[in-house]
Amino acid sequence: MEELFRNFLLDHKDFAYPIIFFWCILEGELALILGGIFAHDGHVNLGLIIFVAGLGGFVGDQIYFYIGRFNKRLIQNKLKTQRRKFALAHLLLKRHGGWIIFVQRYMYGFRTVIPMSIGLTRYNAKKFALINLISAWVWAAITILLAWYFGNHIYKFVGWIGRHWYLAIPIILTFLGTLLYGFKRLEKHILHERSKR
Protein backbone atom coordinates (compact mmCIF):
# COMPACT_ATOMS: atom_id res chain seq x y z
CA MET A 1 0.00 0.00 0.00
CA GLU A 2 2.93 2.31 0.72
CA GLU A 3 4.17 1.77 -2.85
CA LEU A 4 0.69 2.49 -4.25
CA PHE A 5 0.57 5.72 -2.28
CA ARG A 6 4.00 6.79 -3.57
CA ASN A 7 2.95 5.95 -7.14
CA PHE A 8 -0.25 7.98 -6.69
CA LEU A 9 1.83 11.00 -5.68
CA LEU A 10 4.19 10.55 -8.63
CA ASP A 11 1.27 10.25 -11.06
CA HIS A 12 -0.27 13.49 -9.83
CA LYS A 13 2.80 15.63 -9.03
CA ASP A 14 2.37 17.80 -12.16
CA PHE A 15 -1.09 18.85 -10.97
CA ALA A 16 -0.23 19.16 -7.28
CA TYR A 17 -0.93 22.89 -6.95
CA PRO A 18 -4.41 22.91 -8.57
CA ILE A 19 -5.34 19.62 -6.82
CA ILE A 20 -4.47 21.06 -3.39
CA PHE A 21 -6.10 24.43 -4.15
CA PHE A 22 -9.47 23.00 -5.22
CA TRP A 23 -9.42 20.26 -2.58
CA CYS A 24 -8.90 22.90 0.13
CA ILE A 25 -11.93 24.83 -1.14
CA LEU A 26 -14.07 21.76 -0.49
CA GLU A 27 -12.31 20.11 2.46
CA GLY A 28 -9.17 20.47 4.42
CA GLU A 29 -6.87 18.34 6.52
CA LEU A 30 -6.41 15.42 4.11
CA ALA A 31 -5.52 17.82 1.30
CA LEU A 32 -2.99 19.58 3.54
CA ILE A 33 -1.37 16.29 4.55
CA LEU A 34 -1.11 15.39 0.87
CA GLY A 35 0.41 18.81 0.17
CA GLY A 36 2.96 18.27 2.94
CA ILE A 37 3.93 14.88 1.49
CA PHE A 38 4.26 16.40 -2.01
CA ALA A 39 6.68 18.92 -0.46
CA HIS A 40 8.49 16.20 1.54
CA ASP A 41 9.19 14.32 -1.70
CA GLY A 42 10.34 17.51 -3.44
CA HIS A 43 7.48 17.58 -5.96
CA VAL A 44 6.38 21.08 -4.88
CA ASN A 45 7.87 24.12 -3.18
CA LEU A 46 7.01 24.07 0.55
CA GLY A 47 6.27 27.80 0.86
CA LEU A 48 4.24 27.90 -2.34
CA ILE A 49 2.09 24.88 -1.45
CA ILE A 50 1.28 26.49 1.93
CA PHE A 51 0.32 29.69 0.11
CA VAL A 52 -1.86 27.83 -2.43
CA ALA A 53 -3.55 25.61 0.18
CA GLY A 54 -4.28 28.57 2.46
CA LEU A 55 -5.73 30.47 -0.50
CA GLY A 56 -7.99 27.49 -1.28
CA GLY A 57 -9.22 27.34 2.33
CA PHE A 58 -9.83 31.10 2.26
CA VAL A 59 -11.84 30.91 -0.98
CA GLY A 60 -13.95 28.04 0.37
CA ASP A 61 -14.92 29.92 3.53
CA GLN A 62 -15.60 33.12 1.59
CA ILE A 63 -18.03 31.17 -0.60
CA TYR A 64 -19.84 29.84 2.49
CA PHE A 65 -19.89 33.32 4.04
CA TYR A 66 -21.55 34.86 0.96
CA ILE A 67 -24.00 31.97 0.68
CA GLY A 68 -25.10 32.98 4.17
CA ARG A 69 -25.15 36.68 3.34
CA PHE A 70 -27.18 36.50 0.14
CA ASN A 71 -29.22 33.30 0.51
CA LYS A 72 -30.77 33.56 3.97
CA ARG A 73 -34.10 32.13 2.93
CA LEU A 74 -32.45 29.21 1.13
CA ILE A 75 -30.41 28.36 4.23
CA GLN A 76 -33.43 28.59 6.51
CA ASN A 77 -35.42 26.25 4.24
CA LYS A 78 -32.75 23.78 3.18
CA LEU A 79 -30.68 23.44 6.34
CA LYS A 80 -33.39 22.74 8.92
CA THR A 81 -31.46 19.75 10.20
CA GLN A 82 -28.49 22.03 10.94
CA ARG A 83 -30.43 24.58 13.02
CA ARG A 84 -28.83 23.44 16.24
CA LYS A 85 -25.37 23.96 14.77
CA PHE A 86 -26.36 27.39 13.47
CA ALA A 87 -27.63 28.37 16.93
CA LEU A 88 -24.36 27.19 18.45
CA ALA A 89 -22.33 29.07 15.82
CA HIS A 90 -24.21 32.31 16.61
CA LEU A 91 -23.61 31.79 20.30
CA LEU A 92 -19.88 31.17 19.79
CA LEU A 93 -19.62 34.29 17.58
CA LYS A 94 -21.26 36.43 20.28
CA ARG A 95 -19.08 34.96 23.00
CA HIS A 96 -15.71 34.86 21.21
CA GLY A 97 -16.01 37.31 18.31
CA GLY A 98 -13.31 37.10 15.63
CA TRP A 99 -11.52 34.25 17.39
CA ILE A 100 -14.25 31.82 16.35
CA ILE A 101 -13.44 32.59 12.69
CA PHE A 102 -9.83 31.73 13.44
CA VAL A 103 -10.47 28.40 15.14
CA GLN A 104 -13.53 27.12 13.25
CA ARG A 105 -11.28 25.25 10.80
CA TYR A 106 -10.36 22.88 13.62
CA MET A 107 -13.97 22.28 14.73
CA TYR A 108 -15.18 19.05 13.18
CA GLY A 109 -18.65 19.44 11.64
CA PHE A 110 -18.61 23.27 11.71
CA ARG A 111 -16.31 24.11 8.79
CA THR A 112 -19.21 25.18 6.55
CA VAL A 113 -21.76 26.12 9.21
CA ILE A 114 -19.76 28.85 10.98
CA PRO A 115 -18.90 30.92 7.86
CA MET A 116 -22.53 30.65 6.67
CA SER A 117 -23.78 31.54 10.12
CA ILE A 118 -21.54 34.61 10.27
CA GLY A 119 -22.76 35.58 6.80
CA LEU A 120 -26.33 35.58 8.17
CA THR A 121 -25.36 38.25 10.72
CA ARG A 122 -24.26 41.85 10.14
CA TYR A 123 -20.64 40.94 10.75
CA ASN A 124 -18.32 43.14 8.67
CA ALA A 125 -17.41 41.32 5.42
CA LYS A 126 -13.94 42.92 5.14
CA LYS A 127 -13.08 42.02 8.73
CA PHE A 128 -14.24 38.44 8.14
CA ALA A 129 -12.13 38.21 4.95
CA LEU A 130 -8.99 39.48 6.70
CA ILE A 131 -9.29 37.12 9.69
CA ASN A 132 -10.27 34.28 7.36
CA LEU A 133 -7.19 34.82 5.15
CA ILE A 134 -4.76 34.90 8.09
CA SER A 135 -6.49 31.89 9.66
CA ALA A 136 -6.34 29.91 6.41
CA TRP A 137 -2.60 30.46 5.98
CA VAL A 138 -1.85 29.58 9.60
CA TRP A 139 -4.02 26.44 9.31
CA ALA A 140 -2.28 25.43 6.08
CA ALA A 141 1.21 26.14 7.45
CA ILE A 142 0.74 24.12 10.66
CA THR A 143 -0.65 21.00 8.96
CA ILE A 144 1.56 21.04 5.86
CA LEU A 145 4.74 21.61 7.89
CA LEU A 146 3.87 18.68 10.16
CA ALA A 147 3.19 16.41 7.15
CA TRP A 148 6.39 17.62 5.45
CA TYR A 149 8.49 16.96 8.56
CA PHE A 150 6.94 13.57 9.35
CA GLY A 151 6.67 12.45 5.71
CA ASN A 152 8.59 9.19 6.20
CA HIS A 153 6.47 8.30 9.24
CA ILE A 154 3.31 8.91 7.21
CA TYR A 155 4.55 6.53 4.51
CA LYS A 156 5.28 3.90 7.17
CA PHE A 157 1.82 4.42 8.70
CA VAL A 158 0.14 4.02 5.29
CA GLY A 159 2.15 0.81 4.81
CA TRP A 160 1.09 -0.43 8.25
CA ILE A 161 -2.58 0.24 7.41
CA GLY A 162 -2.19 -1.79 4.21
CA ARG A 163 -0.69 -4.74 6.08
CA HIS A 164 -2.95 -4.56 9.14
CA TRP A 165 -6.23 -3.18 7.75
CA TYR A 166 -8.21 -5.41 10.13
CA LEU A 167 -6.69 -3.45 13.05
CA ALA A 168 -6.56 -0.06 11.31
CA ILE A 169 -10.27 0.11 10.42
CA PRO A 170 -11.61 -0.30 14.00
CA ILE A 171 -8.91 2.07 15.36
CA ILE A 172 -9.79 4.79 12.81
CA LEU A 173 -13.54 4.31 13.35
CA THR A 174 -13.09 4.46 17.14
CA PHE A 175 -11.01 7.65 16.83
CA LEU A 176 -13.55 9.33 14.54
CA GLY A 177 -16.44 8.18 16.74
CA THR A 178 -14.75 9.55 19.87
CA LEU A 179 -14.07 12.85 18.12
CA LEU A 180 -17.68 13.15 16.96
CA TYR A 181 -18.99 12.19 20.41
CA GLY A 182 -16.74 14.80 22.05
CA PHE A 183 -17.99 17.58 19.78
CA LYS A 184 -21.61 16.52 20.33
CA ARG A 185 -21.09 16.64 24.11
CA LEU A 186 -19.48 20.08 23.85
CA GLU A 187 -22.34 21.27 21.64
CA LYS A 188 -24.96 20.06 24.15
CA HIS A 189 -23.06 21.62 27.06
CA ILE A 190 -22.82 25.07 25.44
CA LEU A 191 -26.48 25.05 24.35
CA HIS A 192 -27.55 23.86 27.81
CA GLU A 193 -25.64 26.72 29.45
CA ARG A 194 -27.32 29.16 27.09
CA SER A 195 -30.82 27.84 27.92
CA LYS A 196 -30.18 28.39 31.65
CA ARG A 197 -29.58 32.12 31.16
Side-chain angles (χ1 to χ4, degrees):
M1 191 165 180
E2 185 180 339
E3 197 60 37
L4 284 171
F5 187 50
R6 285 182 185 272
N7 289 336
F8 169 81
L9 294 179
L10 281 170
D11 291 344
H12 295 85
K13 67 178 182 178
D14 295 335
F15 306 101
Y17 293 109
I19 286 170
I20 299 303
F21 176 77
F22 287 108
W23 197 346
C24 284
I25 289 175
L26 301 170
E27 200 262 329
E29 286 67 29
L30 200 56
L32 298 181
I33 292 168
L34 190 61
I37 295 170
F38 272 128
H40 174 82
D41 287 349
H43 300 318
V44 296
N45 177 275
L46 180 61
L48 188 55
I49 201 68
I50 289 171
F51 177 83
V52 168
L55 209 56
F58 166 77
V59 169
D61 282 0
Q62 288 300 119
I63 290 168
Y64 295 129
F65 175 84
Y66 282 107
I67 287 172
R69 180 122 314 175
F70 297 115
N71 295 280
K72 292 181 183 181
R73 196 169 290 176
L74 175 73
I75 289 172
Q76 287 164 355
N77 292 335
K78 298 287 184 185
L79 299 177
K80 287 179 182 178
T81 57
Q82 301 287 325
R83 279 185 180 169
R84 187 172 180 156
K85 284 188 178 179
F86 274 95
L88 181 60
H90 278 291
L91 182 64
L92 290 170
L93 181 64
K94 281 182 182 178
R95 190 178 290 182
H96 303 291
W99 282 107
I100 196 61
I101 302 166
F102 206 89
V103 300
Q104 56 92 14
R105 298 176 188 284
Y106 308 95
M107 297 173 66
Y108 180 79
F110 284 86
R111 171 84 195 272
T112 59
V113 172
I114 288 179
M116 276 194 249
S117 181
I118 295 169
L120 289 168
T121 69
R122 293 182 180 180
Y123 198 88
N124 185 280
K126 288 180 182 177
K127 187 177 178 182
F128 175 83
L130 179 62
I131 298 171
N132 182 29
L133 183 61
I134 295 167
S135 164
W137 275 330
V138 170
W139 165 75
I142 290 169
T143 313
I144 287 175
L145 284 169
L146 285 170
W148 167 76
Y149 185 79
F150 292 106
N152 287 332
H153 296 286
I154 292 169
Y155 278 127
K156 286 176 185 175
F157 181 65
V158 169
W160 182 86
I161 289 173
R163 291 189 304 275
H164 305 285
W165 59 269
Y166 50 89
L167 292 173
I169 290 172
I171 289 170
I172 291 167
L173 290 175
T174 301
F175 173 75
L176 292 174
T178 304
L179 198 66
L180 184 60
Y181 176 75
F183 275 113
K184 287 287 182 187
R185 291 274 297 179
L186 182 63
E187 185 182 313
K188 283 181 183 177
H189 175 71
I190 293 170
L191 290 172
H192 181 66
E193 273 194 352
R194 180 193 182 195
S195 66
K196 285 161 59 173
R197 292 181 181 181

